[in-house]
Amino acid sequence: MVAVWAVLLIISVVLYGVLVAFVIPNGFLNTGFAIAEPTDRGLRNIVEPNGRTIVYQPSLRSRKYIKQYLISERGGKKILLCKTDEKVEYLDYDVAMYDRRKHIVKVLNVKELIKKPGYTQELELPEAVAFVSVILNQADEVIFEEKILKPVSKGKMGGYIAMSSLATILEIVFAKVCCSNVFGGVFKESFLIETTSIVFTCIFALVAVAVNIVVAVLSIKRRNGKPAKEGEEK
């Protein structure tokens, strides 16, 4: 019987990890994208013997720093290249990638020190990408506040904190039951119902929930207000 409780403890820890790391965040923190369709304007479609290049003009806000960008396809390789103001030395921008039905398939954040004045480095795009939108976050010291991800609402934030805290409390209680049956021996009942044990469990649960709330709030604030690292998919 001890072995059964040990197995149940391991299973509960794994399930708790899956819940707080994947299931609950996916249920409450996935908010979608603020830019649902490509917004940048196509200027030229250049058909060449060995491929094709489409030149785009970014949004008005970005044009001072990113003049144009192109998507070039040659030999089965598709790349994005931005033409910048020659004075710009640093760029932080998001690339929203869309398929032919104009559905977002991927979002990439790029932070780049401009090595060749007037041009970014080439960024290779997945084969399925047909359109992109370039959203500027920062150019040198100028920071833009618009984010490509919709912010997490207060209601979803509250739901996420409540559900993750409930899962934490239930796991602590269940883990205590399992541990009492695995390690308690003849004292397992007193281990469960003794006043000191109950108080200690309550204090531990409160500390765990407080830590969970702090981590959740910091995580949500980071998601709402800070872009991903270079090359990280959002």
Side-chain angles (χ1 to χ4, degrees):
M1 196 64 183
V2 171
V4 174
W5 283 107
V7 171
L8 288 175
L9 176 61
I10 294 171
I11 292 173
S12 73
V13 171
V14 172
L15 289 177
Y16 171 74
V18 172
L19 276 174
V20 298
F22 301 104
V23 177
I24 297 176
N26 286 340
F28 289 93
L29 301 185
N30 282 344
T31 59
F33 299 98
I35 301 174
E37 293 187 353
T39 55
D40 300 338
R41 185 162 63 96
L43 297 178
R44 295 190 301 277
N45 184 2
I46 306 168
V47 179
E48 302 165 312
N50 59 341
R52 184 178 70 153
T53 298
I54 305 177
V55 181
Y56 292 89
Q57 187 175 50
S59 64
L60 184 61
R61 185 192 74 172
S62 304
R63 287 177 206 167
K64 181 178 178 181
Y65 308 99
I66 299 178
K67 303 298 185 181
Q68 296 177 351
Y69 64 86
L70 59 83
I71 298 177
S72 182
E73 188 171 3
R74 289 185 178 86
K77 184 180 178 181
K78 192 176 294 185
I79 61 101
L80 170 71
L81 178 67
C82 298
K83 182 180 180 182
T84 69
D85 184 285
E86 292 191 355
K87 295 180 181 178
V88 173
E89 298 179 345
Y90 171 80
L91 286 177
D92 173 349
Y93 58 96
D94 293 320
V95 181
M97 306 178 191
Y98 305 82
D99 60 19
R100 296 190 181 278
R101 295 175 296 173
K102 298 184 179 181
H103 296 158
I104 287 185
V105 295
K106 189 176 183 180
V107 176
L108 205 66
N109 178 254
V110 179
K111 293 180 174 68
E112 182 179 340
L113 288 171
I114 305 300
K115 296 178 180 178
K116 181 180 179 181
Y119 295 94
T120 62
Q121 296 182 47
E122 293 183 358
L123 176 67
E124 187 168 354
L125 303 174
E127 179 61 31
V129 174
F131 311 95
V132 302
S133 286
V134 175
I135 300 93
L136 190 59
N137 298 316
Q138 182 176 350
D140 292 333
E141 302 301 321
V142 181
I143 299 175
F144 301 93
E145 295 300 325
E146 180 185 2
K147 303 299 176 186
I148 195 167
L149 285 176
K150 293 179 182 177
V152 178
S153 66
K154 291 182 179 179
K156 287 191 173 184
M157 184 187 299
Y160 171 71
I161 291 173
M163 291 302 296
S164 57
S165 297
L166 178 61
T168 299
I169 292 171
L170 291 177
E171 173 57 24
I172 289 172
V173 172
F174 188 74
K176 180 181 178 181
V177 173
C178 291
C179 288
S180 67
N181 283 278
V182 173
F183 304 110
V186 295
F187 302 103
K188 64 181 181 181
E189 290 186 4
S190 61
F191 181 75
L192 284 173
I193 62 176
E194 190 179 62
T195 302
T196 303
S197 176
I198 293 173
V199 170
F200 176 79
T201 302
C202 290
I203 293 173
F204 184 77
L206 287 173
V207 172
V209 168
V211 171
N212 176 73
I213 291 173
V214 170
V215 172
V217 170
L218 292 176
S219 176
I220 292 169
K221 283 186 175 181
R222 182 181 183 276
R223 181 184 177 89
N224 282 351
K226 187 177 181 181
K229 295 179 181 179
E230 180 176 357
E232 180 181 346
E233 183 179 353
K234 291 186 173 183

